[in-house]
Amino acid sequence: MPDMDTEFLSGIFLKLLTGLPLTLNLTALSLLGGGMLALLLNLMRASRLGNTIAATYVFVFRGTPLLIQIFMIYYGLASFDAVRSSFLWPFLREPYWCGLLALALNDAAYTSEILRGGLRAVPQGAVEAGRVSGMSRIMVMRRIVLPLAMRQALPAYSNEIISMLKATALVSTITLLDVTGLARAEVSATYRAVEIFLCAAVIYLALSLLVTRGAGWLERRLSPYKFGVSA
C-alpha cells in the first residue's frame, strides 16, 4: 500500500463531497417513487390478477441484478424506435432519469415486500376495534393499519434505505458524477485508487451511520413502551 498523503486525501475528500447532492437526490427520489409504487403493488394484491402481476414484478426485480436493470433501461430502451419517437424520449435519453427510474423500480420490489410484511403484522383486533368505533374502511387504513404497519416495517425499511444509498453508486456506470462517479474519474486521472476509494467509502459509511441512528431514534419515538422512554 502506498504512503498516505494527508493533503491529497483532504483535497480528494472535498472533491468527492461535491457529488454528495446527486447521491442524496437519487436516494431520496428513488425511495419516494419506489414507496408509492410499492403501496400500489400491495393494493393490487387484493385481486387474483393483481396479485399475480405484483408477484411477478417483485420476482423479476428482486431476482435480477440492479446493474443489469440500469443497463436495460439506459441502453436497451434506446434500441426501440417506438421509445425514441415517444414523448418519453427526452427523459429516457438522459442518464439521470434512466438511473433514477431503475433505482425506483428496484426499490419498489423490495419495499413492497417490506410493507407487505408490516401489513400482515397488524393485529386484527386493532382493525376490528376501529370498525366497531365507527371508522370507515379508509379511516381505519389511514389511522390504524398504515401507522402500525410502518412501525413494524421500520427496522427492515431502514436497511432498505441504506441498501438504496449504496446502490446509487451503480449509476456511475452510465456517466453520472455522484460520489462514486467522481471517485472513478479521479482514479483514472491520478491512478491512486486506494486513497480515493477510501475517501468514498468513508462518505458512504458516514451516511449509513446517520441513517441507522435516525431510524433507531424514530423507532424509539414510535414504540416508547419497548424501550422504556416517554413519547
Side-chain angles (χ1 to χ4, degrees):
M1 176 181 288
D3 294 334
M4 295 295 180
D5 185 340
T6 305
E7 184 177 353
F8 176 78
L9 282 175
S10 60
I12 286 296
F13 188 82
L14 293 176
K15 185 171 292 187
L16 295 185
L17 285 179
T18 62
L20 188 57
L22 178 57
T23 294
L24 296 178
N25 173 276
L26 288 170
T27 303
L29 293 183
S30 62
L31 289 171
L32 178 61
M36 292 189 293
L37 182 54
L39 183 59
L40 177 61
L41 289 171
N42 276 279
L43 292 175
M44 290 172 58
R45 290 183 180 272
S47 66
R48 179 174 298 181
L49 177 60
N51 182 62
T52 301
I53 295 174
T56 302
Y57 177 94
V58 170
F59 174 76
V60 170
F61 278 90
R62 292 183 67 184
T64 55
L66 175 57
L67 183 60
I68 299 298
Q69 296 166 22
I70 293 174
F71 286 165
M72 287 290 290
I73 292 174
Y74 183 62
Y75 296 110
L77 292 181
S79 63
F80 295 98
D81 292 333
V83 174
R84 292 199 302 271
S85 60
S86 71
F87 70 96
L88 294 174
W89 181 238
F91 297 96
L92 294 178
R93 69 184 179 185
E94 298 294 332
Y96 170 81
W97 294 110
C98 290
L100 179 59
L101 178 60
L103 290 171
L105 292 175
N106 182 269
D107 173 73
Y110 288 90
T111 302
S112 172
E113 292 300 287
I114 293 172
L115 183 58
R116 185 184 179 196
L119 290 171
R120 287 183 172 182
V122 175
Q124 188 62 30
V127 177
E128 293 175 356
R131 291 177 179 173
V132 169
S133 65
M135 293 184 182
S136 65
R137 296 176 68 91
I138 295 178
M139 188 175 293
V140 169
M141 179 65 68
R142 183 170 59 88
R143 291 190 175 183
I144 296 177
V145 176
L146 287 180
L148 289 177
M150 288 187 288
R151 184 180 302 176
Q152 295 290 338
L154 182 59
Y157 189 62
S158 64
N159 291 332
E160 173 61 15
I161 294 175
I162 294 174
S163 296
M164 190 53 51
L165 174 65
K166 294 184 292 186
T168 58
L170 294 176
V171 301
S172 64
T173 59
I174 54 174
T175 72
L176 288 181
L177 294 178
D178 64 329
V179 172
T180 303
L182 288 173
R184 293 179 60 183
E186 290 299 320
V187 169
S188 298
T190 65
Y191 299 99
R192 301 179 69 169
V194 175
E195 297 101 317
I196 295 172
F197 284 128
L198 178 62
C199 289
V202 169
I203 293 174
Y204 284 108
L205 185 62
L207 293 174
S208 298
L209 180 61
L210 288 175
V211 172
T212 302
R213 293 294 178 84
W217 175 85
L218 185 58
E219 187 176 2
R220 288 191 295 272
R221 293 288 297 177
L222 293 176
S223 306
Y225 58 89
K226 290 184 179 181
F227 300 93
V229 297
S230 59

